């Protein structure tokens, strides 16, 4: 369904009955994993900024429901810097290789805390730079969307 760099649903230690928010949900892969973990009394909400990915994720709901009999996932259009989720409405926030794509990382990270209840958790699998990328890599779209890891000697 897309690229990833980890398993934030496992990192978040999701429990039945929780509400989890996936930032940059794409085709829904991590939302469907989270939905299974939170079960029938929980909810998994995916947010993505592209109507095309939302359409794909929403089409995938039918297969998820057929496999699990669960009706606990949904997908919303939005940006991680401006989340379409009420304050204090989620127990856990997950993200899989998306925050690094945001041009306003600080705003995205700060905004994420506003919808999480006090004492709840954020689990992010992502890529961070330890040093600047070479200019030739910065020009490569594949590097940006593929979460490339560049090393220099």
């Amino acid at each position: 369904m897309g690229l990833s760099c980890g398993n934030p649903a496992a990192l978040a230690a999701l429990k039945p009955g929780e509400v989890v928010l996936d930032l940059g949900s794409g085709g829904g892969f991590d939302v469907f994993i989270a939905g299974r973990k939170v079960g029938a009394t929980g909810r998994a909400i995916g947010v993505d900024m592209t109507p095309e990915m939302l359409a794909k994720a929403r089409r995938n709901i039918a297969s998820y429901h057929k496999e699990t009999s669960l009706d606990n996932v949904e997908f919303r259009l939005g940006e991680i810097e401006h989340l379409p989720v009420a304050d204090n409405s989620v127990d856990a926030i997950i993200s899989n290789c998306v925050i690094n794509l945001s041009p306003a990382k600080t705003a995205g990270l700060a905004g994420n805390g506003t919808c999480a209840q006090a004492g709840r958790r954020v689990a992010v699998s992502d890529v961070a730079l330890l040093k600047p990328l070479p200019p030739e890599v910065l020009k490569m779209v594949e590097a940006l969307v593929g979460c490339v890891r560049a090393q220099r000697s």
Side-chain angles (χ1 to χ4, degrees), residues 1 3 18 21 28 30 32 35 46 70 99 117-118 121 128 152:
M1 284 209 275
L3 301 170
E18 291 187 317
L21 174 66
D30 290 313
F32 298 128
L70 294 170
I99 294 172
Q117 298 174 18
R121 59 212 181 276
R152 283 189 178 169

Side-chain angles (χ1 to χ4, degrees), residues 118-134:
R120 302 305 175 159
R121 59 212 181 276
V122 176
V124 175
S125 284
D126 217 313
V127 174
L129 292 176
L130 299 177
K131 48 185 138 180
L133 291 172

